[in-house]
Short mmCIF file of all heavy atoms in Angstrom, two decimals:
data_model
loop_
_atom_site.label_atom_id
_atom_site.label_comp_id
_atom_site.label_asym_id
_atom_site.label_seq_id
_atom_site.Cartn_x
_atom_site.Cartn_y
_atom_site.Cartn_z
N VAL A 1 99.39 110.10 104.65
CA VAL A 1 97.95 110.29 104.82
C VAL A 1 97.44 109.14 105.67
O VAL A 1 97.52 107.98 105.27
CB VAL A 1 97.21 110.31 103.46
CG1 VAL A 1 95.71 110.44 103.68
CG2 VAL A 1 97.71 111.45 102.60
N ALA A 2 96.96 109.46 106.86
CA ALA A 2 96.55 108.44 107.82
C ALA A 2 95.09 108.65 108.19
O ALA A 2 94.74 109.66 108.81
CB ALA A 2 97.43 108.51 109.07
N VAL A 3 94.24 107.72 107.77
CA VAL A 3 92.81 107.84 108.00
C VAL A 3 92.41 106.90 109.14
O VAL A 3 92.46 105.68 108.99
CB VAL A 3 92.00 107.50 106.73
CG1 VAL A 3 90.52 107.73 106.97
CG2 VAL A 3 92.49 108.33 105.55
N ALA A 4 92.05 107.48 110.27
CA ALA A 4 91.63 106.68 111.42
C ALA A 4 90.11 106.52 111.40
O ALA A 4 89.39 107.43 110.99
CB ALA A 4 92.06 107.35 112.72
N MET A 5 89.65 105.35 111.80
CA MET A 5 88.22 105.11 111.87
C MET A 5 87.63 105.77 113.12
O MET A 5 88.20 105.67 114.21
CB MET A 5 87.92 103.61 111.92
CG MET A 5 88.46 102.79 110.76
SD MET A 5 87.70 103.19 109.18
CE MET A 5 88.96 104.21 108.42
N ASN A 6 86.49 106.44 112.97
CA ASN A 6 85.84 107.07 114.12
C ASN A 6 85.45 106.05 115.18
O ASN A 6 85.39 106.36 116.36
CB ASN A 6 84.60 107.84 113.65
CG ASN A 6 83.96 108.64 114.76
OD1 ASN A 6 84.64 109.27 115.56
ND2 ASN A 6 82.64 108.61 114.82
N SER A 7 85.18 104.82 114.73
CA SER A 7 84.79 103.76 115.67
C SER A 7 85.98 103.17 116.39
O SER A 7 85.82 102.36 117.30
CB SER A 7 84.06 102.65 114.90
OG SER A 7 84.92 102.08 113.93
N GLY A 8 87.18 103.55 115.98
CA GLY A 8 88.39 102.95 116.54
C GLY A 8 88.81 103.55 117.86
O GLY A 8 88.07 104.30 118.50
N THR A 9 90.02 103.25 118.25
CA THR A 9 90.52 103.69 119.55
C THR A 9 90.98 105.15 119.48
O THR A 9 91.26 105.69 118.41
CB THR A 9 91.70 102.82 119.99
OG1 THR A 9 92.78 102.97 119.05
CG2 THR A 9 91.30 101.35 120.06
N GLN A 10 91.07 105.75 120.66
CA GLN A 10 91.53 107.12 120.74
C GLN A 10 92.96 107.24 120.24
O GLN A 10 93.34 108.23 119.60
CB GLN A 10 91.42 107.62 122.19
CG GLN A 10 91.67 109.11 122.35
CD GLN A 10 90.61 109.95 121.67
OE1 GLN A 10 89.47 109.53 121.51
NE2 GLN A 10 90.98 111.15 121.25
N ALA A 11 93.78 106.23 120.51
CA ALA A 11 95.18 106.25 120.07
C ALA A 11 95.26 106.33 118.55
O ALA A 11 96.08 107.08 117.99
CB ALA A 11 95.90 105.01 120.57
N ALA A 12 94.42 105.57 117.86
CA ALA A 12 94.41 105.59 116.40
C ALA A 12 93.96 106.95 115.88
O ALA A 12 94.54 107.50 114.94
CB ALA A 12 93.51 104.49 115.86
N LYS A 13 92.92 107.53 116.50
CA LYS A 13 92.41 108.82 116.04
C LYS A 13 93.43 109.94 116.27
O LYS A 13 93.53 110.87 115.46
CB LYS A 13 91.10 109.14 116.76
CG LYS A 13 89.95 108.23 116.32
CD LYS A 13 88.80 108.21 117.30
CE LYS A 13 87.97 109.45 117.24
NZ LYS A 13 86.75 109.33 118.07
N GLU A 14 94.17 109.85 117.34
CA GLU A 14 95.18 110.87 117.61
C GLU A 14 96.38 110.73 116.68
O GLU A 14 97.04 111.71 116.35
CB GLU A 14 95.64 110.78 119.07
CG GLU A 14 94.57 111.23 120.07
CD GLU A 14 95.00 111.07 121.51
OE1 GLU A 14 96.08 110.48 121.73
OE2 GLU A 14 94.26 111.50 122.42
N ALA A 15 96.66 109.51 116.23
CA ALA A 15 97.80 109.28 115.34
C ALA A 15 97.49 109.69 113.91
O ALA A 15 98.40 110.05 113.16
CB ALA A 15 98.21 107.80 115.38
N GLY A 16 96.22 109.62 113.50
CA GLY A 16 95.85 109.93 112.12
C GLY A 16 95.75 111.42 111.88
O GLY A 16 95.62 112.21 112.80
N ASN A 17 95.83 111.81 110.59
CA ASN A 17 95.59 113.22 110.26
C ASN A 17 94.23 113.41 109.60
O ASN A 17 93.89 114.50 109.15
CB ASN A 17 96.70 113.79 109.37
CG ASN A 17 97.03 112.92 108.18
OD1 ASN A 17 96.19 112.17 107.71
ND2 ASN A 17 98.27 113.00 107.71
N MET A 18 93.45 112.33 109.51
CA MET A 18 92.06 112.39 109.10
C MET A 18 91.28 111.37 109.92
O MET A 18 91.84 110.35 110.34
CB MET A 18 91.88 112.06 107.61
CG MET A 18 92.47 113.06 106.65
SD MET A 18 92.02 112.64 104.94
CE MET A 18 93.02 113.83 104.05
N VAL A 19 90.00 111.65 110.12
CA VAL A 19 89.12 110.71 110.82
C VAL A 19 87.90 110.46 109.93
O VAL A 19 87.22 111.41 109.52
CB VAL A 19 88.67 111.24 112.19
CG1 VAL A 19 87.69 110.27 112.84
CG2 VAL A 19 89.87 111.47 113.10
N ASP A 20 87.65 109.20 109.62
CA ASP A 20 86.48 108.82 108.82
C ASP A 20 85.31 108.59 109.75
O ASP A 20 85.29 107.63 110.52
CB ASP A 20 86.79 107.57 108.00
CG ASP A 20 85.58 107.08 107.23
OD1 ASP A 20 84.65 107.88 107.03
OD2 ASP A 20 85.56 105.90 106.84
N LEU A 21 84.32 109.48 109.70
CA LEU A 21 83.19 109.39 110.61
C LEU A 21 82.33 108.16 110.35
O LEU A 21 81.65 107.67 111.24
CB LEU A 21 82.33 110.66 110.50
CG LEU A 21 83.07 111.98 110.73
CD1 LEU A 21 82.11 113.15 110.58
CD2 LEU A 21 83.73 112.00 112.09
N ASP A 22 82.35 107.66 109.10
CA ASP A 22 81.57 106.48 108.75
C ASP A 22 82.29 105.18 109.09
O ASP A 22 81.70 104.11 109.00
CB ASP A 22 81.24 106.47 107.26
CG ASP A 22 80.34 107.62 106.85
OD1 ASP A 22 79.53 108.04 107.69
OD2 ASP A 22 80.45 108.09 105.72
N SER A 23 83.58 105.29 109.42
CA SER A 23 84.40 104.11 109.73
C SER A 23 84.34 103.09 108.60
O SER A 23 84.18 101.89 108.81
CB SER A 23 83.95 103.47 111.06
OG SER A 23 84.06 104.39 112.11
N SER A 24 84.48 103.59 107.37
CA SER A 24 84.46 102.72 106.19
C SER A 24 85.87 102.55 105.67
O SER A 24 86.49 103.53 105.22
CB SER A 24 83.58 103.34 105.09
OG SER A 24 83.74 102.65 103.88
N PRO A 25 86.41 101.34 105.69
CA PRO A 25 87.79 101.14 105.24
C PRO A 25 88.03 101.54 103.79
O PRO A 25 89.14 101.88 103.41
CB PRO A 25 88.01 99.64 105.44
CG PRO A 25 86.99 99.23 106.45
CD PRO A 25 85.81 100.10 106.19
N THR A 26 86.99 101.49 102.95
CA THR A 26 87.17 101.84 101.54
C THR A 26 87.20 103.35 101.32
O THR A 26 87.46 103.80 100.21
CB THR A 26 86.03 101.24 100.69
OG1 THR A 26 84.77 101.72 101.20
CG2 THR A 26 86.03 99.73 100.74
N LYS A 27 86.94 104.14 102.33
CA LYS A 27 86.88 105.59 102.20
C LYS A 27 88.22 106.17 101.73
O LYS A 27 88.26 107.24 101.12
CB LYS A 27 86.47 106.22 103.53
CG LYS A 27 86.13 107.71 103.47
CD LYS A 27 84.87 107.99 102.69
CE LYS A 27 83.65 107.48 103.41
NZ LYS A 27 83.32 108.13 104.64
N LEU A 28 89.30 105.45 102.00
CA LEU A 28 90.63 105.94 101.63
C LEU A 28 90.72 106.22 100.14
O LEU A 28 91.33 107.21 99.71
CB LEU A 28 91.69 104.91 102.05
CG LEU A 28 93.16 105.27 101.75
CD1 LEU A 28 93.53 106.58 102.41
CD2 LEU A 28 94.08 104.16 102.22
N ILE A 29 90.10 105.37 99.33
CA ILE A 29 90.13 105.56 97.88
C ILE A 29 89.43 106.87 97.52
O ILE A 29 89.91 107.65 96.69
CB ILE A 29 89.49 104.36 97.18
CG1 ILE A 29 90.30 103.09 97.45
CG2 ILE A 29 89.37 104.61 95.68
CD1 ILE A 29 89.67 101.82 96.93
N GLU A 30 88.28 107.13 98.14
CA GLU A 30 87.54 108.36 97.87
C GLU A 30 88.33 109.59 98.32
O GLU A 30 88.32 110.63 97.65
CB GLU A 30 86.19 108.31 98.59
CG GLU A 30 85.27 109.46 98.24
CD GLU A 30 83.91 109.33 98.90
OE1 GLU A 30 83.63 108.27 99.51
OE2 GLU A 30 83.13 110.29 98.83
N ILE A 31 89.04 109.47 99.44
CA ILE A 31 89.85 110.59 99.94
C ILE A 31 90.95 110.94 98.94
O ILE A 31 91.22 112.11 98.67
CB ILE A 31 90.44 110.24 101.31
CG1 ILE A 31 89.33 110.19 102.37
CG2 ILE A 31 91.52 111.24 101.72
CD1 ILE A 31 89.77 109.61 103.69
N VAL A 32 91.61 109.93 98.40
CA VAL A 32 92.66 110.15 97.41
C VAL A 32 92.08 110.86 96.19
O VAL A 32 92.69 111.80 95.64
CB VAL A 32 93.33 108.82 97.01
CG1 VAL A 32 94.24 109.01 95.80
CG2 VAL A 32 94.13 108.26 98.18
N GLN A 33 90.90 110.45 95.75
CA GLN A 33 90.27 111.09 94.60
C GLN A 33 89.94 112.55 94.89
O GLN A 33 90.13 113.42 94.03
CB GLN A 33 89.00 110.32 94.22
CG GLN A 33 89.29 108.93 93.65
CD GLN A 33 88.04 108.11 93.42
OE1 GLN A 33 87.01 108.36 94.05
NE2 GLN A 33 88.12 107.15 92.54
N ILE A 34 89.45 112.84 96.09
CA ILE A 34 89.13 114.23 96.46
C ILE A 34 90.41 115.06 96.48
O ILE A 34 90.43 116.21 96.01
CB ILE A 34 88.43 114.27 97.83
CG1 ILE A 34 87.02 113.67 97.72
CG2 ILE A 34 88.33 115.71 98.34
CD1 ILE A 34 86.32 113.49 99.04
N GLY A 35 91.49 114.51 97.03
CA GLY A 35 92.76 115.22 97.07
C GLY A 35 93.29 115.51 95.67
O GLY A 35 93.76 116.63 95.39
N LYS A 36 93.20 114.53 94.79
CA LYS A 36 93.67 114.74 93.42
C LYS A 36 92.79 115.74 92.69
O LYS A 36 93.28 116.56 91.90
CB LYS A 36 93.71 113.40 92.68
CG LYS A 36 94.84 112.49 93.13
CD LYS A 36 94.98 111.28 92.24
CE LYS A 36 96.18 110.44 92.68
NZ LYS A 36 97.46 111.13 92.53
N GLN A 37 91.48 115.70 92.95
CA GLN A 37 90.59 116.66 92.32
C GLN A 37 90.91 118.08 92.77
O GLN A 37 90.87 119.03 91.97
CB GLN A 37 89.14 116.32 92.63
CG GLN A 37 88.15 117.20 91.88
CD GLN A 37 86.71 116.91 92.25
OE1 GLN A 37 86.40 116.66 93.41
NE2 GLN A 37 85.82 116.96 91.28
N LEU A 38 91.24 118.26 94.04
CA LEU A 38 91.61 119.58 94.55
C LEU A 38 92.84 120.11 93.82
O LEU A 38 92.86 121.26 93.35
CB LEU A 38 91.88 119.50 96.06
CG LEU A 38 92.51 120.74 96.70
CD1 LEU A 38 91.56 121.93 96.61
CD2 LEU A 38 92.88 120.47 98.15
N LEU A 39 93.88 119.28 93.70
CA LEU A 39 95.10 119.72 93.02
C LEU A 39 94.84 119.99 91.54
O LEU A 39 95.36 120.95 90.96
CB LEU A 39 96.19 118.65 93.17
CG LEU A 39 96.67 118.38 94.60
CD1 LEU A 39 97.75 117.31 94.61
CD2 LEU A 39 97.18 119.65 95.27
N MET A 40 94.02 119.13 90.90
CA MET A 40 93.68 119.33 89.49
C MET A 40 92.93 120.64 89.28
O MET A 40 93.21 121.39 88.33
CB MET A 40 92.80 118.17 89.00
CG MET A 40 93.54 116.90 88.66
SD MET A 40 92.36 115.57 88.30
CE MET A 40 91.28 116.38 87.13
N THR A 41 91.98 120.92 90.16
CA THR A 41 91.18 122.14 90.01
C THR A 41 92.06 123.37 90.15
O THR A 41 91.98 124.31 89.34
CB THR A 41 90.06 122.17 91.08
OG1 THR A 41 89.26 120.99 90.95
CG2 THR A 41 89.19 123.40 90.91
N ARG A 42 92.91 123.36 91.14
CA ARG A 42 93.79 124.51 91.36
C ARG A 42 94.75 124.69 90.18
O ARG A 42 94.94 125.80 89.67
CB ARG A 42 94.59 124.32 92.65
CG ARG A 42 95.41 125.54 93.04
CD ARG A 42 96.26 125.23 94.25
NE ARG A 42 95.42 124.97 95.40
CZ ARG A 42 95.80 124.23 96.44
NH1 ARG A 42 96.99 123.65 96.44
NH2 ARG A 42 95.01 124.06 97.47
N GLY A 43 95.33 123.59 89.71
CA GLY A 43 96.25 123.67 88.58
C GLY A 43 95.57 124.10 87.30
O GLY A 43 96.10 124.92 86.53
N SER A 44 94.37 123.56 87.05
CA SER A 44 93.65 123.88 85.82
C SER A 44 93.26 125.36 85.77
O SER A 44 93.43 126.03 84.74
CB SER A 44 92.40 123.00 85.71
OG SER A 44 92.76 121.64 85.64
N LEU A 45 92.73 125.87 86.88
CA LEU A 45 92.29 127.27 86.89
C LEU A 45 93.48 128.23 86.91
O LEU A 45 93.37 129.36 86.42
CB LEU A 45 91.35 127.52 88.07
CG LEU A 45 90.00 126.80 87.99
CD1 LEU A 45 89.08 127.24 89.11
CD2 LEU A 45 89.34 127.04 86.65
N THR A 46 94.59 127.80 87.47
CA THR A 46 95.81 128.62 87.40
C THR A 46 96.27 128.72 85.95
O THR A 46 96.62 129.81 85.46
CB THR A 46 96.92 128.03 88.27
OG1 THR A 46 96.49 127.98 89.63
CG2 THR A 46 98.19 128.87 88.18
N THR A 47 96.27 127.59 85.25
CA THR A 47 96.64 127.58 83.84
C THR A 47 95.72 128.48 83.03
O THR A 47 96.16 129.28 82.19
CB THR A 47 96.58 126.14 83.28
OG1 THR A 47 97.44 125.30 84.05
CG2 THR A 47 96.99 126.09 81.82
N PHE A 48 94.43 128.36 83.28
CA PHE A 48 93.43 129.17 82.56
C PHE A 48 93.66 130.66 82.84
O PHE A 48 93.62 131.48 81.92
CB PHE A 48 92.03 128.76 82.99
CG PHE A 48 90.93 129.47 82.26
CD1 PHE A 48 90.46 128.98 81.05
CD2 PHE A 48 90.37 130.63 82.77
CE1 PHE A 48 89.45 129.65 80.36
CE2 PHE A 48 89.36 131.29 82.10
CZ PHE A 48 88.89 130.80 80.88
#
């Protein structure tokens, strides 16, 4: 999971598979939480 800053260079943005439009280095933690929530939601509703 590679989060490039929108304010960064084109090389960094092309190398990443996500771009943070706010260019906030702490956003990575929030992205991980969103990813885990997606997997949890899918797994929970499948179980249900």
Side-chain angles (χ1 to χ4, degrees):
V1 177
V3 184
M5 302 294 102
N6 186 42
S7 61
T9 63
Q10 189 65 28
K13 290 161 75 172
E14 290 177 354
N17 49 27
M18 293 187 188
V19 177
D20 176 20
L21 304 179
D22 295 329
S23 301
S24 169
T26 57
K27 190 68 68 67
L28 181 58
I29 296 174
E30 187 177 352
I31 290 169
V32 170
Q33 291 173 336
I34 291 172
K36 287 189 177 296
Q37 186 183 39
L38 170 64
L39 297 181
M40 281 173 50
T41 303
R42 187 185 296 155
S44 298
L45 293 187
T46 299
T47 303
F48 183 87

